[in-house]
């Protein structure tokens, strides 16, 4: 069960080659791995179904990703079928003969691949089962070799303690998988158990304090590294963009100098770990050292270049622990690039929470960082483990040389931003152990097919019309009251209904998002900006106000709300005093059904005239507009250009007094930038009360803070980002859910992804 995973797939291949009849299942039974298993004679079924066991089974093996209470496992228990974890079975395979088990928090896949290749170069004819592969290996496992079995031994689920190899390699021991072990002591005890069961030599990194503490006293142990305590000591390391060289001595005996067609300080250590394993197996140290020049490949997703074209380089890397990311960043800095952009997908909520403080320094030296939502890997979200929590740590530390991240809502949003912004001289690092690799592949493919974006082509068409003012890559922050956010691919300002109709029609034909921006008083734009077209209504066609003798008022939707209130008051028309002090344009008021003090703009609407998404005209009666709390359903499919209001006659002095009373009830933001209420009021309650009770006043992320005078207001300061606001909103929402049991819904309209 879980045979599609690289670890269990390898075990299945070994068992098949040893004569077992093997079949498997996985929730995702498609792709290269599943196809390779089928070619090896191993059937792979879709999903985990108890009926898979009806044909008979002598042993059920499952990966760590399959829960112990899975229905198929419960079925096996009821049938009396023995059940084993993948790591236990692999431990038995390597412990039954000559074998090398490579373990450690970081670098074990590369070290295992290096060990395999070195033993092949020395003529040892090894077999292998490794959680990654190089192009030369071709597959993750092959048991046909008659020499030692080289395996990658995973500690994450505790099964490392079952291994009894001929040689144990410990690359390092770092805080990780504490969701399983609970404490660092328990993690180290797992490594110690494998050390004690090892039948021959133990090879360990002498530079790593924990590995040295656990392994140095083992009889015949070989410590490797740069430190004076290492028996196998590296010196004179020289790193270049695509190669490294170093000298080494073993117990004071010079072994010579070697050059490898890989680079990075950590890969020099990985190579020496492989050398130590060969020596522990009895190979001549000098011959083994000379054979290190055969280590020409890294396994997949270890600084794997997906693209090098038009001055842009895309590198995919499996790093997901801060120490690994720091090594990757150091390796990236060896490469010629004008700008280094990282796309990082944190892996598991528990790891993100446990290691949050260590992540920011790992990205030092990079220029841009996009943070994706956490890849759950079957975990449930936990407090402190979400991407927004990690982002808050970045902002709190604010270390020199560490980029301020941009929060992405999804892979889709990040990919679209990268497609618009990557330029010659950029290096993109795609980092993480989840499905972020697919994003890197899609971005690389899009760049290979480099064509003008849909937004760029549409901008060309609009410019050719002559009646649309078009600007490209326009910062939207100055156009919103929060003053934060990224760029619009295209900003189109239209001065006539004909021009607006053309923009709407062309966007629809091109399949591009089209958003309307009024006063920007209730809009939060992602730091990654927005794709497609942002439209603003401009000119007299949308800015007029006409007061009729029967009390009706027609107002263009680009009219500023305050201007409308002044004009109708001058004309002796009342009924809108409750709107006093509410920012925005008439169009924005309608879209949000803005209101206060028990009133809403929708109460006064007689009709709305607008354009449909295909550019055709329509008029909607006010009673049919679908006005509700902070929404107007009709405007989900209609762009309002003019509204007709029903207002009451009134004395100008009385109307002025009403407005003054309403103005006095408005919250004074003390000159701070804000979008007003952040969350909608739940039914029969107030969001502000819930947020206050949850202790949200005083919360801050970067340059965004909860307003001291009202818990449902976020204010921004100079230097604030949209990601600050998004992270703070997530923190506020989480506190209310945890302490009050209420799920808050955003009142601010958030522009992310490709939503319209």
């Amino acid at each position: 069960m879980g045979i599609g995973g690289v670890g269990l797939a390898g075990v299945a291949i070994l068992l098949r080659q040893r004569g077992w009849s093997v079949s498997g299942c996985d929730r995702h039974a498609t792709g290269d791995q599943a196809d390779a298993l089928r070619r090896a004679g191993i059937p792979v079924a879709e999903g985990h179904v108890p009926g898979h066991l009806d044909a008979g089974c002598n042993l059920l093996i499952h990966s760590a990703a399959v829960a112990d209470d899975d229905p198929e496992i419960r079925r096996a228990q009821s049938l009396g079928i023995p059940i084993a974890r993948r790591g236990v079975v692999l431990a038995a395979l390597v412990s039954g003969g000559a074998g090398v088990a490579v373990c450690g928090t970081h670098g074990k896949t590369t070290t295992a691949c290096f060990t395999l290749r070195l033993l092949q170069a020395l003529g040892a004819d090894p077999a292998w089962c490794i959680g990654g592969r190089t192009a030369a290996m071709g597959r993750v496992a092959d048991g046909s070799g008659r020499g030692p079995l080289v395996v990658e031994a995973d500690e994450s689920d505790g099964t490392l303690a079952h291994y009894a190899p001929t040689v144990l390699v410990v690359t390092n021991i770092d805080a990780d998988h504490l969701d399983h072990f609970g404490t660092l002591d328990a993690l180290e005890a797992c490594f110690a158990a494998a050390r004690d069961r090892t039948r021959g030599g133990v090879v360990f990194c002498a530079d790593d304090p924990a590995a040295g503490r656990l392994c140095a006293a083992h009889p015949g142990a070989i410590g490797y590294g740069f430190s004076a305590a290492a028996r196998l000591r590296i010196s004179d390391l020289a790193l270049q963009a695509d190669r490294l060289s170093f000298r080494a001595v073993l117990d004071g005996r010079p072994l010579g100098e070697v050059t490898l067609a890989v680079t990075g300080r950590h890969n020099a250590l990985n190579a020496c770990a492989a050398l130590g394993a060969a020596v522990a197996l009895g190979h001549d140290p000098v011959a083994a050292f000379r054979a290190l020049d055969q280590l020409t490949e890294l396994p997949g997703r270890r600084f794997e270049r997906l693209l090098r074209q038009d001055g842009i380089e895309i590198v995919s890397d499996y790093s997901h622990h801060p120490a690994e990311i720091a090594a990757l960043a150091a390796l990236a800095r060896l490469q010629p690039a004008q700008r280094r952009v990282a796309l990082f997908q944190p892996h598991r909520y528990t790891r993100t929470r446990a290691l949050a403080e260590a992540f920011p320094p790992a990205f030092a030296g990079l220029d841009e960082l996009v943070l994706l939502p956490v890849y759950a890997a079957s975990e449930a979200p936990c407090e402190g483990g979400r991407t927004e929590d990690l982002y808050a740590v970045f902002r709190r530390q604010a270390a020199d040389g560490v980029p301020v991240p941009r929060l992405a809502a999804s892979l889709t949003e990040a990919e679209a931003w990268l497609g618009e912004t990557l330029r010659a001289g950029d290096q993109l690092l795609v980092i993480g152990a989840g499905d972020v690799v697919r994003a890197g592949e899609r971005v690389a493919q899009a760049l290979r097919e480099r064509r003008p974006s849909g937004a760029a082509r549409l901008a060309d068409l609009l410019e050719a019309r002559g009646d649309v003012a078009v600007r490209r890559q326009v910062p939207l922050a100055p156009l919103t009251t929060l003053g934060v956010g990224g760029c619009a691919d295209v900003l189109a300002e239209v001065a006539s209904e004909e021009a607006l109709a053309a923009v709407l029609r062309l966007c629809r034909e091109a399949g591009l998002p089209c958003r309307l921006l009024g006063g920007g008083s209730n809009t939060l734009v992602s730091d990654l900006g927005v794709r497609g077209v942002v439209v603003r209504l401009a000119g007299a066609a949308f800015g007029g106000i006409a007061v009729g003798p029967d009390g009706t008022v027609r107002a263009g939707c680009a009219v500023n709300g305050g201007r409308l209130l002044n004009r109708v008051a001058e004309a002796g028309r009342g009924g809108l005093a409750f709107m006093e002090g509410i920012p925005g344009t008439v169009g924005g008021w309608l879209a949000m059904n803005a209101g206060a003090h028990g009133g809403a703009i929708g109460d006064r609407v007689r009709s709305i005239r607008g354009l449909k998404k295909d550019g055709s005209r329509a008029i909607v009666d006010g009673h049919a507009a679908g006005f509700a709390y902070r929404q107007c359903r009709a405007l989900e499919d209609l762009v309002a250009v003019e509204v007709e209001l029903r207002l009451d006659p009134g004395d100008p002095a009385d109307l002025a007094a009403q407005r003054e009373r309403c103005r006095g009830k408005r919250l004074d933001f003390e000159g701070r930038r804000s979008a007003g209420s952040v969350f909608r009021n739940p039914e029969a309650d107030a969001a502000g009360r819930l947020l206050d009770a949850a202790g949200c006043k005083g919360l801050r992320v970067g340059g965004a803070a909860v307003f001291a005078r009202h818990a449902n207001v976020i204010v921004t300061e100079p230097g604030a980002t949209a990601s600050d606001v998004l992270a703070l909103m997530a923190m506020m929402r989480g506190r209310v859910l945890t302490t009050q049991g209420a799920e808050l819904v955003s009142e601010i309209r958030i522009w992310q992804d490709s939503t319209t």
Side-chain angles (χ1 to χ4, degrees):
M1 295 179 65
I3 198 170
V6 65
L8 191 49
V11 171
I13 291 170
L14 292 185
L15 292 174
R16 172 69 176 170
Q17 290 176 326
R18 294 190 180 201
W20 287 71
S21 175
V22 182
S23 63
C25 60
D26 200 277
R27 296 192 187 281
H28 305 286
T30 58
D32 294 343
Q33 193 70 264
D35 292 343
L37 289 168
R38 293 185 180 105
R39 288 194 298 271
I42 301 172
V44 180
E46 181 79 27
H48 297 159
V49 181
H52 290 160
L53 303 173
D54 291 346
C57 177
N58 300 110
L59 176 64
L60 175 65
I61 307 170
H62 68 93
S63 72
V66 179
D68 291 337
D69 62 351
D70 185 276
E72 191 168 346
I73 289 182
R74 291 204 304 267
R75 172 68 170 160
Q77 291 169 337
S78 70
L79 294 174
I81 297 173
I83 300 170
R85 287 179 289 170
R86 178 203 68 88
V88 173
V89 176
L90 183 57
L93 292 174
V94 77
S95 302
V100 178
V102 180
C103 64
T105 308
H106 321 295
K108 53 182 173 285
T109 303
T110 300
T111 299
C113 289
F114 279 1
T115 302
L116 168 66
R117 181 68 193 103
L118 180 59
L119 293 178
Q120 288 174 332
L122 293 171
D125 193 23
W128 72 87
C129 183
I130 300 172
R133 62 182 175 87
T134 64
M137 289 165 60
R139 59 201 306 189
V140 296
D142 189 337
S144 62
R146 290 177 292 179
L149 173 61
V150 178
V151 304
E152 177 182 346
D154 180 24
E155 78 281 3
S156 65
D157 61 354
T159 54
L160 174 63
H162 293 268
Y163 284 77
T166 310
V167 173
L168 180 72
V169 178
V170 183
T171 59
N172 41 62
I173 303 173
D174 207 344
D176 202 3
H177 308 299
L178 298 185
D179 55 310
H180 174 82
F181 291 100
T183 66
L184 186 57
D185 287 343
L187 171 65
E188 292 186 2
C190 181
F191 281 92
R195 173 204 64 195
D196 293 342
R197 290 171 58 86
T198 298
R199 293 170 286 140
V202 172
V203 180
F204 68 96
C205 182
D207 298 348
D208 184 76
R213 186 172 63 254
L214 288 181
C215 301
H218 189 276
I222 300 176
Y224 65 91
F226 293 89
S227 71
R231 287 180 58 194
L232 177 55
R233 186 161 58 86
I234 305 169
S235 66
D236 301 315
L237 175 67
L239 299 175
Q240 299 181 45
D242 59 353
R243 65 179 62 89
L244 64 84
S245 62
F246 62 87
R247 295 180 179 275
V249 298
L250 176 62
D251 295 330
R253 175 190 176 189
L255 299 178
E257 183 177 6
V258 69
T259 298
L260 279 64
V262 297
T263 191
R265 188 178 189 274
H266 59 294
N267 281 323
L269 288 169
N270 293 336
C272 276
L275 174 60
V279 171
L281 286 171
H283 291 275
D284 176 69
V286 174
F289 181 78
R290 290 172 179 168
L292 289 179
D293 64 5
Q294 299 299 303
L295 307 183
T296 59
E297 286 186 293
L298 295 172
R301 298 221 58 223
R302 273 67 178 179
F303 209 80
E304 179 182 0
R305 286 187 173 89
L306 301 181
L307 178 80
R308 185 180 275 173
Q309 176 180 303
D310 299 330
I312 299 173
E313 180 180 67
I314 299 180
V315 173
S316 179
D317 199 275
Y318 188 75
S319 299
H320 50 281
H321 186 284
E324 298 162 355
I325 294 169
L328 170 64
L331 186 54
R333 291 194 294 271
L334 294 172
Q335 314 302 313
Q338 297 174 16
R339 186 177 71 139
R340 295 178 176 86
V341 181
L343 176 64
F344 175 50
Q345 182 185 56
H347 189 260
R348 293 184 178 272
Y349 298 105
T350 52
R351 177 183 285 117
T352 303
R353 178 178 61 186
L355 303 177
E357 297 291 334
F359 275 110
F363 291 91
L366 303 184
D367 301 295
E368 292 274 5
L369 171 60
V370 178
L371 282 181
L372 289 163
V374 172
Y375 186 79
S378 76
E379 283 190 343
C382 63
E383 186 176 353
R386 295 176 174 83
T387 292
E388 293 86 357
D389 301 312
L390 177 59
Y391 175 87
V393 175
F394 270 88
R395 292 298 269 152
R396 176 166 46 77
Q397 290 189 4
D400 290 341
V402 176
V404 175
R406 301 171 188 255
L407 284 176
S410 65
L411 290 172
T412 300
E413 184 189 11
E415 291 170 35
W417 179 77
L418 290 166
E420 288 292 332
T421 58
L422 287 178
R423 298 291 182 266
D426 286 352
Q427 179 190 60
L428 171 63
L429 304 175
V430 180
I431 308 171
D435 58 359
V436 66
V437 60
R438 305 297 174 219
E441 292 168 350
R442 287 189 290 265
V443 172
Q445 184 60 32
L447 291 176
R448 289 189 193 98
E449 302 169 354
R450 196 88 190 207
R451 299 187 301 268
S453 69
R457 293 194 297 272
L458 183 60
D460 292 339
L461 292 173
L462 294 176
E463 286 175 337
R465 286 182 54 88
D467 59 352
V468 180
V470 177
R471 289 186 285 161
R472 307 177 195 226
Q473 292 302 316
V474 180
L476 295 180
L479 304 181
T480 69
T481 57
L482 278 167
V484 297
C487 294
D489 288 349
V490 177
L491 179 66
E493 294 186 327
V494 295
S496 68
E497 292 186 25
E498 291 73 19
L500 174 60
V503 173
L504 293 172
R505 185 174 60 255
L506 289 171
C507 284
R508 181 175 181 176
E509 292 171 357
L512 289 174
C514 182
R515 300 172 174 85
L516 270 291
L517 181 64
S521 60
N522 197 49
T523 302
L524 174 60
V525 180
S526 164
D527 283 325
L528 299 181
V530 287
R531 311 286 70 84
V533 179
V534 173
V535 178
R536 298 190 82 196
L537 307 182
F542 308 108
I545 302 173
V547 181
D550 59 350
T552 60
V553 174
R554 292 182 182 274
C557 285
V559 170
N560 176 271
R563 177 177 160 231
L564 174 64
L565 295 183
N566 290 337
R567 178 68 183 88
V568 297
E570 292 170 0
R573 297 297 173 182
L576 291 179
F578 60 86
M579 296 295 293
E580 181 66 33
I582 297 178
T585 61
V586 169
W589 281 4
L590 294 173
M592 290 300 297
N593 191 21
H597 316 303
I601 188 68
D603 301 335
R604 292 290 178 169
V605 172
R606 174 174 286 178
S607 65
I608 301 172
R609 188 167 62 82
L611 300 180
K612 297 179 182 179
K613 292 182 180 180
D614 62 1
S616 62
R617 290 174 169 79
I619 296 177
V620 179
D621 184 88
H623 296 296
F627 283 109
Y629 177 62
R630 298 298 174 262
Q631 63 178 313
C632 176
R633 294 187 181 90
L635 295 191
E636 294 173 3
D637 298 302
L638 188 75
V639 177
V641 297
E642 185 181 71
V643 64
E644 183 177 356
L645 301 170
R646 296 184 302 269
L647 299 183
D648 306 321
D651 178 73
D654 290 341
L655 296 176
Q658 292 174 24
R659 291 179 64 188
E660 184 61 32
R661 286 194 295 272
C662 290
R663 187 181 301 116
K665 297 177 182 179
R666 295 290 296 175
L667 185 63
D668 180 6
F669 294 124
E670 302 171 354
R672 311 275 191 93
R673 305 198 71 148
S674 169
S677 295
V678 176
F679 298 104
R680 298 181 181 184
N681 289 326
E683 188 174 353
D685 209 335
R689 188 199 69 78
L690 292 169
L691 290 159
D692 204 357
C696 290
K697 283 183 180 176
L699 291 181
R700 167 183 291 274
V701 176
V706 178
F707 192 37
R709 296 178 58 188
H710 200 297
N712 194 27
V713 172
I714 290 176
V715 293
T716 57
E717 301 169 353
T721 69
S723 297
D724 291 346
V725 179
L726 288 168
L728 184 55
M729 288 177 65
M731 190 181 298
M732 296 162 69
R733 186 185 291 114
R735 283 205 178 191
V736 168
L737 182 61
T738 300
T739 64
Q740 310 296 306
E743 184 80 47
L744 293 181
V745 176
S746 174
E747 182 169 320
I748 296 175
R749 294 199 169 185
I750 301 172
W751 284 6
Q752 288 181 301
D753 288 331
S754 297
T755 54
T756 56

